[in-house]
Amino acid sequence: IYLAELTGTGSNPRFPAALATMIANNCGPAIDWLTQQGITWAPYCPLLDGQATAPRMMAALPDSSTYPATLNKNAVSKGVTFQYGTGVTGLIRDPANGIVGVTAQNSSGVIHVKANRAVVLAARDNAANYKMLGQFTAAPSWLGTLPP
């Protein structure tokens, strides 16, 4: 049902079907995983302008700062290190093993970071950039009323 809502009548024709399928197939397991990490949820579920057949929004308690606080704490407890203010300038590839690290630039200069199991590239969230969101999605009318 959710996939039909993402791709059916009234949906954004620029929204790629493959992305809609990926979201529909993985959103439930993603919420389950976040819950296992310690995220708790508010009973906040506005329907998407009457288009959704069920509540589709999840809001972490007490607010969105819960995501990085909880996930960073869990990652650090498992030995993950974060390189804030560090721009990746290249990926280090091994023909047999794929991407095995990154070349990056921080305030000290160029660094090379070897991956233990994976490389995660992250950038800030653009959820509060309503102009940009309007270019890529059919933004519901209530979107502009939400605090960042």
Side-chain angles (χ1 to χ4, degrees):
I1 292 175
Y2 186 36
L3 179 59
E5 291 173 0
L6 290 173
T7 59
T9 304
S11 66
N12 185 338
R14 295 181 289 179
F15 191 59
L19 179 59
T21 300
M22 188 272 307
I23 290 170
N25 289 340
N26 293 290
C27 65
I31 294 296
D32 292 342
W33 182 83
L34 288 166
T35 301
Q36 291 168 3
Q37 300 307 305
I39 304 291
T40 56
W41 307 101
Y44 170 71
C45 300
L47 297 181
L48 299 176
D49 292 335
Q51 296 176 12
T53 58
R56 302 287 186 210
M57 301 287 290
M58 301 293 289
L61 288 173
D63 56 38
S64 62
S65 68
T66 299
Y67 296 110
T70 301
L71 298 178
N72 286 4
K73 178 185 73 168
N74 292 351
V76 168
S77 75
K78 293 180 179 179
V80 173
T81 58
F82 292 91
Q83 298 285 335
Y84 297 105
T86 303
V88 171
T89 57
L91 299 175
I92 301 170
R93 299 174 191 267
D94 176 275
N97 298 309
I99 297 171
V100 295
V102 299
T103 302
Q105 177 83 39
N106 65 17
S107 60
S108 300
V110 175
I111 61 172
H112 304 281
V113 181
K114 180 186 176 299
N116 288 327
R117 292 179 45 205
V119 172
V120 178
L121 303 178
R124 66 171 287 180
D125 178 13
N126 290 302
N129 187 337
Y130 305 120
K131 183 178 178 183
M132 184 197 76
L133 288 175
Q135 294 173 353
F136 298 104
T137 184
S141 60
W142 50 262
L143 181 65
T145 66
L146 297 176

